[in-house]
Amino acid sequence: MENRLAVRSESILHAGTTSLLVKIVYGLLAALLVAGALFIANDYGRKRAYESLHIRAQSAAELNAVLLRTVLEKQRSLPFVLSQDRDVISALTTRSDSLLQLVNRKLESLISGTRSSVIYLLNADGLALASSNWREPTSFVGTNYSFRPYYTRAIAAGSAEHYAFGTVSKRPGLYISRRIDGRSGTLGVIVVKVEFDDLEADWRRNSDPSLVVDQRGIVLITSLPGWRFMTEGPIVPDQMGPIRESLQFGDAPLAPLDITPALPQGQPDIVQARLPGAAKAEEFVRVQTPVPTTTWNLQLLTPAAPAVAEATRTAQLLALIVLAPLLGFTAFLLRRRGLALRRAREQEAARLELERRVAERTADLSTAHSELVMQVEERQKTEAKLQTVQQDLVQANRLAILGQVTAGVAHEINQPVAAIRSYADNAKTFLGRNQIDSAKDNLKAIAGLTERIGGITDELRTFARKGTGDAGPISVSDVIEGALLLLGTRFRQRAGQIITQTPPPDIKVHGNRMRLEQVLINLMQNAVEATEGGPASKISVETRVTDGEVQLIVSDNGPGIPEAIMQALFTPFNTSKDRGLGLGLVICHDIVADYGGRIDVKSSSAGTEFTVHLPRVA
């Protein structure tokens, strides 16, 4: 007996150790799972952020390239037009001082309209004969520019474009030149210099850091002035000598940009770049796009750190949201299993204690066993009662939800049921008079209204699901006429004066006819009840059409809506009627919202006005 008790005690101790081990293993696995999920979510969030930034940056880069091309195309047409100008040709041919003075003034007047930096005219030897800056101390007139590439290339090929420092202004710009030919041969060259200060300012205001590089990788145009004439990479010594000799970039150091790839080359292109004035390098998404009609390439750098941080936080949060219920449910199951094992161990310990006491006091075995059986039975009864109470609570909750739905259905089908009753009475009268056709029409209307009731219940289910139903362009006049037809003569008898304004059939809104009629019927019924059907009561239904919007206005001359009701007018079960359910305006509000509209309410002691705003369909 003692050996058996010792073995069973050792088994209980082993079960407790196993339970603790299970908890430790679960904690380790949960930690590993959370860490792995956070790592995967971090990687996924970064990739998604990089892809999104790449798409956005590509669009911005293409837009900047289009802006640059627009500026270039505008300026390219100017040399061509001036090369055909009679005054320019005559001035080159005759070298008349009066004609050259005329050309000076003409070129000067073109600066403000074309936003060029300077326009000047060279003769066949490269000597400047006229210039837009002829009045200034730094006038180009009299200076020989035959050594400049834009002159030599234009003489040789007819036209040229050359980006360089100005020898006088010391400002960079694009020189666009075109040869002017006469009957006896080459007469000269017209040159337009374009500076990109305004374009660079626009880039600084509207986009991320942008730069334009030539085929050698030298930055020509940039929204960051500190990067101008820097290079994508080191320039080989064989190329550096000719560049310095050409004086194209003056004494600019042509130092490499502080931009290094952050990830292996691929798409998107992630780089580390230190902007001018920044203390440290930051991560950017770099995109490149060619500038049409040039040999240039436009690059745009979009800051990646904020977007990546936000995307990774969001991805990790979603991962935790997904994992939390799973881990919580697993922990619940483990805890439930642990409690069950604990209860089992406690019961086993009680049995061991009982057997030990049986060995000591055999006389008390029967009593102790009976008490234990009674405790078990009481516990089972208590658990059964608890389950019964829980089931009753679930059933009560279901009945409460069913009561709300039933109340809504009863509220919404009252109108078609009343109409069915009216049509049935009329059909009976028509049959009594042997007016078969009229009776058939009423029976047909009754059949339609029964379908309408089915439709209303479907629409109430749609309301519960926040669905919009089948929608399309619907005539506002059809909605008003349908609502008045459904309300029928009983409505007109209850109202003192009804004024309706039906718009032309071509005035349409986006929606579902039955649901919009439902809104109009609810508002008109409320108006009738507000005026209490007195002979002085007045109800009006009118339509206002504005640009892109149609307004349905239902107004009455009742006493107005109490302030306490107005505070929560579109809240379920909020009503001032003794028998009202407070669902009508809630349903109207949600139907109109489903179609992109809204309902405004104005109420005073002189009456109430409901305005339904709906987007107009062309």
Side-chain angles (χ1 to χ4, degrees), residues 249-451:
F249 304 110
D251 57 355
L254 301 178
L257 291 168
D258 190 2
I259 299 178
T260 57
L263 296 176
Q265 187 65 25
Q267 290 294 335
D269 183 13
I270 312 301
V271 298
Q272 289 282 345
R274 186 166 65 87
L275 302 183
K280 61 179 181 179
E282 298 178 1
E283 191 175 76
F284 294 85
V285 174
R286 179 173 61 181
V287 296
Q288 306 185 46
T289 185
V291 179
T293 71
T294 71
T295 59
W296 299 344
N297 190 43
L298 187 143
Q299 300 181 12
L300 185 138
L301 304 178
T302 296
V308 169
E310 179 65 24
T312 53
R313 282 197 300 269
T314 301
Q316 290 175 343
L317 179 60
L318 290 175
L320 292 177
I321 291 175
V322 172
L323 280 179
L326 177 63
L327 295 177
F329 182 69
T330 305
F332 169 75
L333 293 179
L334 290 176
R335 176 173 173 78
R336 186 175 180 181
R337 178 178 178 272
L339 291 176
L341 292 176
R342 180 180 176 182
R343 285 196 296 268
R345 291 194 300 271
E346 290 175 351
Q347 291 176 357
E348 183 66 17
R351 285 194 292 271
L352 287 175
E353 178 65 17
L354 180 61
E355 290 180 6
R356 187 184 64 79
R357 293 179 63 185
V358 166
E360 294 177 356
R361 294 185 299 170
T362 305
D364 298 335
L365 177 60
S366 178
T367 303
H369 181 266
S370 299
E371 291 179 355
L372 181 60
V373 170
M374 290 177 62
Q375 291 177 4
V376 171
E377 289 178 353
E378 288 296 328
R379 178 175 295 178
Q380 291 175 348
K381 290 179 181 179
T382 303
E383 291 178 352
K385 289 180 180 179
L386 178 59
Q387 292 178 357
T388 301
V389 171
Q390 290 175 341
Q391 293 174 358
D392 291 343
L393 290 175
V394 171
Q395 183 65 20
N397 180 262
R398 291 177 181 170
L399 290 176
I401 295 173
L402 181 60
Q404 294 176 8
V405 174
T406 304
V409 171
H411 180 84
E412 291 303 322
I413 67 175
N414 267 340
Q415 298 152 352
V417 166
I420 289 174
R421 173 66 180 273
S422 178
Y423 280 122
D425 292 341
N426 292 340
K428 181 178 178 181
T429 302
F430 287 139
L431 289 174
R433 298 174 181 174
N434 202 24
Q435 295 178 357
I436 304 302
D437 292 337
S438 298
K440 287 181 178 180
D441 291 340
N442 277 22
L443 292 174
K444 182 178 180 181
I446 290 173
L449 288 170
T450 56
E451 295 178 359

Side-chain angles (χ1 to χ4, degrees), residues 34-101:
V34 170
L38 292 178
F39 177 79
I40 294 173
N42 179 76
D43 186 61
Y44 174 78
R46 290 181 66 87
K47 289 181 179 178
R48 289 297 300 272
Y50 286 145
E51 292 173 359
S52 176
L53 288 172
H54 177 77
I55 294 172
R56 191 187 75 185
Q58 190 67 44
S59 298
E62 291 173 357
L63 177 60
N64 286 351
V66 169
L67 293 175
L68 176 56
R69 180 184 179 182
T70 301
V71 172
L72 293 176
E73 292 299 333
K74 176 182 177 181
Q75 298 296 335
R76 284 169 177 162
S77 61
L78 186 57
F80 173 78
V81 172
L82 290 174
S83 68
Q84 309 296 319
D85 187 85
R86 291 182 179 180
D87 294 336
V88 173
I89 295 174
S90 297
L92 286 172
T93 304
T94 64
R95 307 292 176 88
S96 168
D97 291 340
S98 60
L99 285 176
L100 289 174
Q101 189 65 19

Side-chain angles (χ1 to χ4, degrees), residues 10 70 95 115 118 125 135 145 153 158 175 247 324 326 373 399 403 411 415 430 445 458 468 524 563 602:
E10 184 178 353
T70 301
R95 307 292 176 88
R115 302 187 71 82
V118 64
D125 297 326
R135 298 179 188 271
Y145 294 99
R153 293 175 190 169
Y175 293 85
L247 301 178
L326 177 63
V373 170
L399 290 176
H411 180 84
Q415 298 152 352
F430 287 139
D458 290 340
T468 58
M524 294 174 71
E563 182 64 25
K602 296 179 181 178

